[in-house]
PDB file of all heavy atoms in Angstrom:
ATOM      1  N   HIS A   1     112.261 100.372 105.788  1.00 54.00           N
ATOM      2  CA  HIS A   1     112.407 101.807 105.598  1.00 54.00           C
ATOM      3  C   HIS A   1     113.102 102.126 104.278  1.00 54.00           C
ATOM      4  O   HIS A   1     112.702 103.020 103.552  1.00 54.00           O
ATOM      5  CB  HIS A   1     113.190 102.412 106.778  1.00 54.00           C
ATOM      6  CG  HIS A   1     113.408 103.874 106.637  1.00 54.00           C
ATOM      7  ND1 HIS A   1     112.372 104.773 106.710  1.00 54.00           N
ATOM      8  CD2 HIS A   1     114.536 104.598 106.391  1.00 54.00           C
ATOM      9  CE1 HIS A   1     112.848 105.993 106.531  1.00 54.00           C
ATOM     10  NE2 HIS A   1     114.176 105.911 106.340  1.00 54.00           N
ATOM     11  N   GLY A   2     114.136 101.377 103.949  1.00 60.00           N
ATOM     12  CA  GLY A   2     114.849 101.585 102.690  1.00 60.00           C
ATOM     13  C   GLY A   2     113.987 101.287 101.474  1.00 60.00           C
ATOM     14  O   GLY A   2     114.025 101.990 100.485  1.00 60.00           O
ATOM     15  N   ASP A   3     113.192 100.222 101.554  1.00 64.00           N
ATOM     16  CA  ASP A   3     112.296  99.875 100.449  1.00 64.00           C
ATOM     17  C   ASP A   3     111.215 100.918 100.262  1.00 64.00           C
ATOM     18  O   ASP A   3     110.860 101.257  99.150  1.00 64.00           O
ATOM     19  CB  ASP A   3     111.661  98.505 100.678  1.00 64.00           C
ATOM     20  CG  ASP A   3     112.666  97.370 100.580  1.00 64.00           C
ATOM     21  OD1 ASP A   3     113.741  97.619  99.973  1.00 64.00           O
ATOM     22  OD2 ASP A   3     112.398  96.283 101.104  1.00 64.00           O
ATOM     23  N   ARG A   4     110.682 101.448 101.360  1.00 67.00           N
ATOM     24  CA  ARG A   4     109.668 102.491 101.258  1.00 67.00           C
ATOM     25  C   ARG A   4     110.253 103.757 100.642  1.00 67.00           C
ATOM     26  O   ARG A   4     109.621 104.408  99.834  1.00 67.00           O
ATOM     27  CB  ARG A   4     109.080 102.811 102.633  1.00 67.00           C
ATOM     28  CG  ARG A   4     108.027 101.851 103.055  1.00 67.00           C
ATOM     29  CD  ARG A   4     107.329 102.328 104.294  1.00 67.00           C
ATOM     30  NE  ARG A   4     106.406 101.318 104.753  1.00 67.00           N
ATOM     31  CZ  ARG A   4     105.852 101.318 105.923  1.00 67.00           C
ATOM     32  NH1 ARG A   4     106.148 102.277 106.790  1.00 67.00           N
ATOM     33  NH2 ARG A   4     105.013 100.375 106.267  1.00 67.00           N
ATOM     34  N   GLY A   5     111.483 104.111 101.030  1.00 76.00           N
ATOM     35  CA  GLY A   5     112.124 105.284 100.462  1.00 76.00           C
ATOM     36  C   GLY A   5     112.358 105.129  98.970  1.00 76.00           C
ATOM     37  O   GLY A   5     112.161 106.059  98.196  1.00 76.00           O
ATOM     38  N   PHE A   6     112.783 103.945  98.567  1.00 75.00           N
ATOM     39  CA  PHE A   6     113.007 103.662  97.160  1.00 75.00           C
ATOM     40  C   PHE A   6     111.687 103.719  96.388  1.00 75.00           C
ATOM     41  O   PHE A   6     111.619 104.275  95.289  1.00 75.00           O
ATOM     42  CB  PHE A   6     113.667 102.301  96.993  1.00 75.00           C
ATOM     43  CG  PHE A   6     114.023 101.963  95.585  1.00 75.00           C
ATOM     44  CD1 PHE A   6     114.975 102.714  94.895  1.00 75.00           C
ATOM     45  CD2 PHE A   6     113.412 100.914  94.936  1.00 75.00           C
ATOM     46  CE1 PHE A   6     115.314 102.399  93.594  1.00 75.00           C
ATOM     47  CE2 PHE A   6     113.745 100.596  93.638  1.00 75.00           C
ATOM     48  CZ  PHE A   6     114.699 101.357  92.957  1.00 75.00           C
ATOM     49  N   LEU A   7     110.631 103.165  96.975  1.00 72.00           N
ATOM     50  CA  LEU A   7     109.307 103.196  96.352  1.00 72.00           C
ATOM     51  C   LEU A   7     108.810 104.636  96.226  1.00 72.00           C
ATOM     52  O   LEU A   7     108.263 105.025  95.191  1.00 72.00           O
ATOM     53  CB  LEU A   7     108.331 102.349  97.169  1.00 72.00           C
ATOM     54  CG  LEU A   7     106.921 102.218  96.619  1.00 72.00           C
ATOM     55  CD1 LEU A   7     106.963 101.512  95.261  1.00 72.00           C
ATOM     56  CD2 LEU A   7     106.053 101.464  97.584  1.00 72.00           C
ATOM     57  N   GLU A   8     109.022 105.424  97.282  1.00 77.00           N
ATOM     58  CA  GLU A   8     108.603 106.830  97.241  1.00 77.00           C
ATOM     59  C   GLU A   8     109.340 107.557  96.118  1.00 77.00           C
ATOM     60  O   GLU A   8     108.749 108.388  95.430  1.00 77.00           O
ATOM     61  CB  GLU A   8     108.904 107.492  98.580  1.00 77.00           C
ATOM     62  CG  GLU A   8     108.065 107.013  99.728  1.00 77.00           C
ATOM     63  CD  GLU A   8     106.657 107.517  99.677  1.00 77.00           C
ATOM     64  OE1 GLU A   8     106.428 108.597  99.076  1.00 77.00           O
ATOM     65  OE2 GLU A   8     105.767 106.839 100.212  1.00 77.00           O
ATOM     66  N   GLU A   9     110.609 107.263  95.955  1.00 81.00           N
ATOM     67  CA  GLU A   9     111.405 107.913  94.915  1.00 81.00           C
ATOM     68  C   GLU A   9     110.897 107.539  93.527  1.00 81.00           C
ATOM     69  O   GLU A   9     110.781 108.409  92.642  1.00 81.00           O
ATOM     70  CB  GLU A   9     112.866 107.493  95.072  1.00 81.00           C
ATOM     71  CG  GLU A   9     113.811 108.162  94.121  1.00 81.00           C
ATOM     72  CD  GLU A   9     115.232 107.691  94.340  1.00 81.00           C
ATOM     73  OE1 GLU A   9     115.621 107.437  95.492  1.00 81.00           O
ATOM     74  OE2 GLU A   9     115.930 107.564  93.328  1.00 81.00           O
ATOM     75  N   ILE A  10     110.588 106.287  93.317  1.00 77.00           N
ATOM     76  CA  ILE A  10     110.054 105.840  92.024  1.00 77.00           C
ATOM     77  C   ILE A  10     108.718 106.517  91.728  1.00 77.00           C
ATOM     78  O   ILE A  10     108.474 107.005  90.624  1.00 77.00           O
ATOM     79  CB  ILE A  10     109.912 104.314  91.985  1.00 77.00           C
ATOM     80  CG1 ILE A  10     111.279 103.655  91.967  1.00 77.00           C
ATOM     81  CG2 ILE A  10     109.100 103.869  90.774  1.00 77.00           C
ATOM     82  CD1 ILE A  10     111.237 102.159  92.121  1.00 77.00           C
ATOM     83  N   ILE A  11     107.855 106.564  92.733  1.00 77.00           N
ATOM     84  CA  ILE A  11     106.539 107.178  92.553  1.00 77.00           C
ATOM     85  C   ILE A  11     106.683 108.670  92.254  1.00 77.00           C
ATOM     86  O   ILE A  11     106.013 109.213  91.389  1.00 77.00           O
ATOM     87  CB  ILE A  11     105.660 106.931  93.804  1.00 77.00           C
ATOM     88  CG1 ILE A  11     105.283 105.447  93.872  1.00 77.00           C
ATOM     89  CG2 ILE A  11     104.399 107.787  93.765  1.00 77.00           C
ATOM     90  CD1 ILE A  11     104.597 105.055  95.149  1.00 77.00           C
ATOM     91  N   ALA A  12     107.589 109.335  92.965  1.00 82.00           N
ATOM     92  CA  ALA A  12     107.794 110.767  92.747  1.00 82.00           C
ATOM     93  C   ALA A  12     108.292 111.026  91.320  1.00 82.00           C
ATOM     94  O   ALA A  12     107.837 111.978  90.671  1.00 82.00           O
ATOM     95  CB  ALA A  12     108.770 111.319  93.763  1.00 82.00           C
ATOM     96  N   ARG A  13     109.211 110.199  90.834  1.00 84.00           N
ATOM     97  CA  ARG A  13     109.711 110.373  89.468  1.00 84.00           C
ATOM     98  C   ARG A  13     108.607 110.174  88.442  1.00 84.00           C
ATOM     99  O   ARG A  13     108.524 110.897  87.455  1.00 84.00           O
ATOM    100  CB  ARG A  13     110.849 109.384  89.192  1.00 84.00           C
ATOM    101  CG  ARG A  13     112.191 109.983  89.507  1.00 84.00           C
ATOM    102  CD  ARG A  13     113.294 109.115  88.981  1.00 84.00           C
ATOM    103  NE  ARG A  13     113.718 108.234  90.075  1.00 84.00           N
ATOM    104  CZ  ARG A  13     114.158 107.015  89.962  1.00 84.00           C
ATOM    105  NH1 ARG A  13     114.253 106.458  88.777  1.00 84.00           N
ATOM    106  NH2 ARG A  13     114.505 106.312  91.010  1.00 84.00           N
ATOM    107  N   GLU A  14     107.757 109.171  88.658  1.00 80.00           N
ATOM    108  CA  GLU A  14     106.661 108.912  87.726  1.00 80.00           C
ATOM    109  C   GLU A  14     105.637 110.041  87.730  1.00 80.00           C
ATOM    110  O   GLU A  14     105.099 110.403  86.687  1.00 80.00           O
ATOM    111  CB  GLU A  14     105.988 107.575  88.049  1.00 80.00           C
ATOM    112  CG  GLU A  14     106.827 106.386  87.712  1.00 80.00           C
ATOM    113  CD  GLU A  14     107.068 106.244  86.224  1.00 80.00           C
ATOM    114  OE1 GLU A  14     106.163 106.548  85.423  1.00 80.00           O
ATOM    115  OE2 GLU A  14     108.174 105.843  85.864  1.00 80.00           O
ATOM    116  N   VAL A  15     105.374 110.597  88.908  1.00 81.00           N
ATOM    117  CA  VAL A  15     104.415 111.710  88.995  1.00 81.00           C
ATOM    118  C   VAL A  15     104.968 112.924  88.254  1.00 81.00           C
ATOM    119  O   VAL A  15     104.231 113.609  87.534  1.00 81.00           O
ATOM    120  CB  VAL A  15     104.121 112.037  90.479  1.00 81.00           C
ATOM    121  CG1 VAL A  15     103.399 113.353  90.616  1.00 81.00           C
ATOM    122  CG2 VAL A  15     103.301 110.929  91.111  1.00 81.00           C
ATOM    123  N   VAL A  16     106.259 113.205  88.391  1.00 87.00           N
ATOM    124  CA  VAL A  16     106.877 114.323  87.683  1.00 87.00           C
ATOM    125  C   VAL A  16     106.829 114.100  86.181  1.00 87.00           C
ATOM    126  O   VAL A  16     106.506 115.007  85.414  1.00 87.00           O
ATOM    127  CB  VAL A  16     108.329 114.524  88.170  1.00 87.00           C
ATOM    128  CG1 VAL A  16     109.089 115.486  87.277  1.00 87.00           C
ATOM    129  CG2 VAL A  16     108.336 115.039  89.603  1.00 87.00           C
ATOM    130  N   ALA A  17     107.117 112.892  85.737  1.00 83.00           N
ATOM    131  CA  ALA A  17     107.079 112.580  84.308  1.00 83.00           C
ATOM    132  C   ALA A  17     105.660 112.724  83.759  1.00 83.00           C
ATOM    133  O   ALA A  17     105.453 113.259  82.653  1.00 83.00           O
ATOM    134  CB  ALA A  17     107.620 111.183  84.049  1.00 83.00           C
ATOM    135  N   GLU A  18     104.688 112.249  84.509  1.00 82.00           N
ATOM    136  CA  GLU A  18     103.305 112.377  84.068  1.00 82.00           C
ATOM    137  C   GLU A  18     102.874 113.833  83.981  1.00 82.00           C
ATOM    138  O   GLU A  18     102.208 114.229  83.026  1.00 82.00           O
ATOM    139  CB  GLU A  18     102.378 111.619  85.027  1.00 82.00           C
ATOM    140  CG  GLU A  18     100.931 111.698  84.670  1.00 82.00           C
ATOM    141  CD  GLU A  18     100.037 110.969  85.644  1.00 82.00           C
ATOM    142  OE1 GLU A  18     100.527 110.141  86.420  1.00 82.00           O
ATOM    143  OE2 GLU A  18      98.830 111.249  85.635  1.00 82.00           O
ATOM    144  N   ALA A  19     103.275 114.643  84.950  1.00 86.00           N
ATOM    145  CA  ALA A  19     102.941 116.063  84.929  1.00 86.00           C
ATOM    146  C   ALA A  19     103.591 116.752  83.734  1.00 86.00           C
ATOM    147  O   ALA A  19     102.979 117.611  83.095  1.00 86.00           O
ATOM    148  CB  ALA A  19     103.368 116.724  86.232  1.00 86.00           C
ATOM    149  N   ARG A  20     104.812 116.370  83.405  1.00 88.00           N
ATOM    150  CA  ARG A  20     105.510 116.972  82.268  1.00 88.00           C
ATOM    151  C   ARG A  20     104.801 116.620  80.961  1.00 88.00           C
ATOM    152  O   ARG A  20     104.617 117.475  80.109  1.00 88.00           O
ATOM    153  CB  ARG A  20     106.950 116.459  82.243  1.00 88.00           C
ATOM    154  CG  ARG A  20     107.844 117.211  81.310  1.00 88.00           C
ATOM    155  CD  ARG A  20     109.277 116.743  81.389  1.00 88.00           C
ATOM    156  NE  ARG A  20     109.800 116.885  82.741  1.00 88.00           N
ATOM    157  CZ  ARG A  20     110.566 115.996  83.355  1.00 88.00           C
ATOM    158  NH1 ARG A  20     110.931 114.899  82.734  1.00 88.00           N
ATOM    159  NH2 ARG A  20     111.010 116.206  84.566  1.00 88.00           N
ATOM    160  N   ILE A  21     104.372 115.374  80.827  1.00 85.00           N
ATOM    161  CA  ILE A  21     103.658 114.969  79.607  1.00 85.00           C
ATOM    162  C   ILE A  21     102.325 115.683  79.515  1.00 85.00           C
ATOM    163  O   ILE A  21     101.929 116.168  78.449  1.00 85.00           O
ATOM    164  CB  ILE A  21     103.461 113.441  79.578  1.00 85.00           C
ATOM    165  CG1 ILE A  21     104.804 112.740  79.344  1.00 85.00           C
ATOM    166  CG2 ILE A  21     102.458 113.012  78.526  1.00 85.00           C
ATOM    167  CD1 ILE A  21     104.745 111.235  79.495  1.00 85.00           C
ATOM    168  N   ARG A  22     101.630 115.800  80.642  1.00 85.00           N
ATOM    169  CA  ARG A  22     100.331 116.480  80.634  1.00 85.00           C
ATOM    170  C   ARG A  22     100.478 117.963  80.277  1.00 85.00           C
ATOM    171  O   ARG A  22      99.690 118.508  79.504  1.00 85.00           O
ATOM    172  CB  ARG A  22      99.659 116.338  81.987  1.00 85.00           C
ATOM    173  CG  ARG A  22      98.223 116.829  81.971  1.00 85.00           C
ATOM    174  CD  ARG A  22      97.518 116.656  83.290  1.00 85.00           C
ATOM    175  NE  ARG A  22      97.579 115.297  83.742  1.00 85.00           N
ATOM    176  CZ  ARG A  22      97.680 114.954  85.015  1.00 85.00           C
ATOM    177  NH1 ARG A  22      97.731 115.876  85.951  1.00 85.00           N
ATOM    178  NH2 ARG A  22      97.719 113.706  85.367  1.00 85.00           N
ATOM    179  N   ARG A  23     101.518 118.636  80.830  1.00 88.00           N
ATOM    180  CA  ARG A  23     101.741 120.040  80.493  1.00 88.00           C
ATOM    181  C   ARG A  23     102.069 120.207  79.021  1.00 88.00           C
ATOM    182  O   ARG A  23     101.582 121.152  78.377  1.00 88.00           O
ATOM    183  CB  ARG A  23     102.897 120.595  81.333  1.00 88.00           C
ATOM    184  CG  ARG A  23     102.483 121.161  82.649  1.00 88.00           C
ATOM    185  CD  ARG A  23     103.635 121.915  83.267  1.00 88.00           C
ATOM    186  NE  ARG A  23     104.795 121.027  83.392  1.00 88.00           N
ATOM    187  CZ  ARG A  23     105.276 120.577  84.530  1.00 88.00           C
ATOM    188  NH1 ARG A  23     104.720 120.946  85.653  1.00 88.00           N
ATOM    189  NH2 ARG A  23     106.325 119.783  84.546  1.00 88.00           N
ATOM    190  N   ALA A  24     102.872 119.310  78.452  1.00 86.00           N
ATOM    191  CA  ALA A  24     103.211 119.393  77.028  1.00 86.00           C
ATOM    192  C   ALA A  24     101.962 119.221  76.168  1.00 86.00           C
ATOM    193  O   ALA A  24     101.785 119.920  75.172  1.00 86.00           O
ATOM    194  CB  ALA A  24     104.268 118.347  76.672  1.00 86.00           C
ATOM    195  N   ALA A  25     101.101 118.294  76.552  1.00 85.00           N
ATOM    196  CA  ALA A  25      99.868 118.077  75.791  1.00 85.00           C
ATOM    197  C   ALA A  25      98.953 119.297  75.868  1.00 85.00           C
ATOM    198  O   ALA A  25      98.389 119.723  74.855  1.00 85.00           O
ATOM    199  CB  ALA A  25      99.130 116.831  76.309  1.00 85.00           C
ATOM    200  N   ILE A  26      98.821 119.873  77.037  1.00 87.00           N
ATOM    201  CA  ILE A  26      97.955 121.059  77.206  1.00 87.00           C
ATOM    202  C   ILE A  26      98.509 122.226  76.401  1.00 87.00           C
ATOM    203  O   ILE A  26      97.758 122.938  75.726  1.00 87.00           O
ATOM    204  CB  ILE A  26      97.816 121.420  78.697  1.00 87.00           C
ATOM    205  CG1 ILE A  26      96.945 120.367  79.386  1.00 87.00           C
ATOM    206  CG2 ILE A  26      97.203 122.800  78.869  1.00 87.00           C
ATOM    207  CD1 ILE A  26      96.907 120.499  80.889  1.00 87.00           C
ATOM    208  N   LEU A  27      99.815 122.430  76.439  1.00 86.00           N
ATOM    209  CA  LEU A  27     100.433 123.515  75.664  1.00 86.00           C
ATOM    210  C   LEU A  27     100.230 123.303  74.179  1.00 86.00           C
ATOM    211  O   LEU A  27      99.876 124.245  73.444  1.00 86.00           O
ATOM    212  CB  LEU A  27     101.909 123.609  76.012  1.00 86.00           C
ATOM    213  CG  LEU A  27     102.685 124.685  75.252  1.00 86.00           C
ATOM    214  CD1 LEU A  27     102.188 126.072  75.648  1.00 86.00           C
ATOM    215  CD2 LEU A  27     104.157 124.548  75.514  1.00 86.00           C
ATOM    216  N   ALA A  28     100.459 122.082  73.712  1.00 84.00           N
ATOM    217  CA  ALA A  28     100.303 121.798  72.277  1.00 84.00           C
ATOM    218  C   ALA A  28      98.855 122.014  71.826  1.00 84.00           C
ATOM    219  O   ALA A  28      98.604 122.602  70.764  1.00 84.00           O
ATOM    220  CB  ALA A  28     100.764 120.396  71.955  1.00 84.00           C
ATOM    221  N   TRP A  29      97.899 121.556  72.605  1.00 86.00           N
ATOM    222  CA  TRP A  29      96.499 121.746  72.235  1.00 86.00           C
ATOM    223  C   TRP A  29      96.101 123.217  72.307  1.00 86.00           C
ATOM    224  O   TRP A  29      95.301 123.681  71.490  1.00 86.00           O
ATOM    225  CB  TRP A  29      95.576 120.907  73.112  1.00 86.00           C
ATOM    226  CG  TRP A  29      95.553 119.469  72.719  1.00 86.00           C
ATOM    227  CD1 TRP A  29      96.031 118.417  73.427  1.00 86.00           C
ATOM    228  CD2 TRP A  29      95.041 118.923  71.506  1.00 86.00           C
ATOM    229  NE1 TRP A  29      95.859 117.243  72.733  1.00 86.00           N
ATOM    230  CE2 TRP A  29      95.242 117.523  71.556  1.00 86.00           C
ATOM    231  CE3 TRP A  29      94.435 119.457  70.378  1.00 86.00           C
ATOM    232  CZ2 TRP A  29      94.851 116.690  70.518  1.00 86.00           C
ATOM    233  CZ3 TRP A  29      94.057 118.613  69.351  1.00 86.00           C
ATOM    234  CH2 TRP A  29      94.263 117.251  69.426  1.00 86.00           C
ATOM    235  N   SER A  30      96.656 123.956  73.255  1.00 85.00           N
ATOM    236  CA  SER A  30      96.365 125.389  73.339  1.00 85.00           C
ATOM    237  C   SER A  30      96.863 126.124  72.102  1.00 85.00           C
ATOM    238  O   SER A  30      96.142 126.961  71.541  1.00 85.00           O
ATOM    239  CB  SER A  30      97.013 125.987  74.580  1.00 85.00           C
ATOM    240  OG  SER A  30      96.500 125.393  75.744  1.00 85.00           O
ATOM    241  N   VAL A  31      98.073 125.816  71.680  1.00 83.00           N
ATOM    242  CA  VAL A  31      98.608 126.458  70.462  1.00 83.00           C
ATOM    243  C   VAL A  31      97.783 126.040  69.251  1.00 83.00           C
ATOM    244  O   VAL A  31      97.502 126.871  68.368  1.00 83.00           O
ATOM    245  CB  VAL A  31     100.100 126.087  70.284  1.00 83.00           C
ATOM    246  CG1 VAL A  31     100.608 126.543  68.928  1.00 83.00           C
ATOM    247  CG2 VAL A  31     100.925 126.712  71.394  1.00 83.00           C
ATOM    248  N   THR A  32      97.361 124.804  69.212  1.00 81.00           N
ATOM    249  CA  THR A  32      96.545 124.335  68.092  1.00 81.00           C
ATOM    250  C   THR A  32      95.245 125.115  67.995  1.00 81.00           C
ATOM    251  O   THR A  32      94.886 125.625  66.915  1.00 81.00           O
ATOM    252  CB  THR A  32      96.224 122.837  68.240  1.00 81.00           C
ATOM    253  OG1 THR A  32      97.448 122.116  68.256  1.00 81.00           O
ATOM    254  CG2 THR A  32      95.339 122.346  67.110  1.00 81.00           C
TER     255      THR A  32
END
C-alpha cells in the first residue's frame, strides 16, 4: 500500500509537470 501511494504521488507530479510544459508551449506558439 505504501509503495503504491508513493508511485501514485510520483505519477501525479509527472503528469502535472507535463501539463505545465504543454500549456507553456501552447501559449508560446499562440503568441508567435
Side-chain angles (χ1 to χ4, degrees):
H1 178 69
D3 290 341
R4 279 189 185 166
F6 184 65
L7 183 63
E8 292 286 334
E9 184 180 324
I10 290 172
I11 291 171
R13 268 191 266 147
E14 289 294 323
V15 167
V16 168
E18 180 181 343
R20 193 176 301 139
I21 290 172
R22 189 178 306 145
R23 271 191 303 250
I26 289 171
L27 178 66
W29 282 112
S30 299
V31 170
T32 299

